[in-house]
Amino acid sequence: QRRCGERGQHRAWLRTGVLFAVPVAATYWIAWFGLEHVPHLADETAYWFQARIFAAGRLWAPVPALPEFFRHDHILMLGDRWLAKYPPLFPLLLSLGMRVGLPWMVNPVLAGFTALGVFRLAAGWRGRRAGWLAWLLLVSSPFYLMMGANLMAHMAAATFLLWFTIWGQETLNTGRLSKALATGLALGAAILTRPFTALLY
């Protein structure tokens, strides 16, 4: 019986590893070979700019001496403060990646947690087979793969809202305070990432 339990635990760890590692590898491959680790959109540039500021230990940068030469969409100059207009959490996550030299791993890792959450949610509703099908549909979606490879905040918001749903359901089922706390933290993180998306959700 103990050996069967260990074997089942080993299979569970292996399953979790596959569910997480496959989308991480796929999205990072696209980030490396498809996007070449370069921001392509104005939004990405703004997130990257703010992340560089956070990584330097500041909340904003000083306005340059000739500000008219540094105007950019989604980047503001407010008095002597130069900063991006977006909410702070995703640039903060990017800045942590910058501090360890792997900023382009942030969204692929979030994509892995999103894939895990989709499997868990679907498996909880309709069984493990439904979980695998939902996971397969997700990781084969071009939109999901691109959002997991770029520098936009969409994947972070999806991750936080998905786990808000999972932990919220578990809170209702179990009444555990730890799950309620996790639910609130996930919603708060989503609001600090994409507030309108979170509030509409």
Side-chain angles (χ1 to χ4, degrees):
Q1 186 176 6
R2 180 182 175 184
R3 188 174 299 171
C4 289
E6 290 175 352
R7 193 176 302 141
Q9 190 175 18
H10 176 73
R11 281 199 299 266
W13 279 107
L14 181 62
R15 180 174 65 245
T16 300
V18 170
L19 290 167
F20 181 79
V22 169
V24 170
T27 50
Y28 188 74
W29 187 88
I30 295 171
W32 181 269
F33 292 102
L35 302 179
E36 298 180 337
H37 289 183
V38 176
H40 288 76
L41 303 173
D43 302 64
E44 291 180 292
T45 303
Y47 285 124
W48 189 267
F49 177 79
Q50 189 63 45
R52 290 285 300 273
I53 293 171
F54 286 156
R58 302 174 62 97
L59 295 177
W60 56 80
V63 171
L66 298 171
E68 61 272 18
F69 291 100
F70 295 92
R71 304 290 180 193
H72 191 280
D73 292 342
H74 315 313
I75 297 178
L76 309 176
M77 296 182 187
L78 305 174
D80 62 347
R81 301 175 182 180
W82 195 18
L83 68 165
K85 73 174 188 178
Y86 292 117
L89 188 54
F90 183 65
L92 184 60
L93 294 176
L94 274 182
S95 74
L96 296 177
M98 288 177 177
R99 294 296 294 269
V100 298
L102 294 169
W104 278 89
M105 279 301 296
V106 172
N107 262 348
V109 168
L110 290 170
F113 283 114
T114 299
L116 274 176
V118 165
F119 174 86
R120 182 166 170 176
L121 194 64
W125 285 343
R126 288 289 183 261
R128 196 173 296 169
R129 185 175 297 178
W132 278 111
L133 178 59
W135 178 86
L136 184 61
L137 289 171
L138 178 73
V139 299
S140 61
S141 162
F143 182 77
Y144 164 82
L145 293 171
M146 285 302 298
M147 288 297 106
N150 65 22
L151 290 167
M152 303 282 277
H154 297 66
M155 189 57 68
T159 303
F160 298 140
L161 288 172
L162 180 61
W163 285 95
F164 161 72
T165 304
I166 293 168
W167 289 328
Q169 185 178 18
E170 291 178 358
T171 299
L172 294 175
N173 291 339
T174 66
R176 290 174 57 188
L177 182 60
S178 60
K179 294 294 183 181
L181 179 60
T183 303
L185 289 173
L187 181 59
I191 291 171
L192 289 173
T193 304
R194 289 176 61 86
F196 294 123
T197 300
L199 292 174
L200 284 172
Y201 184 86

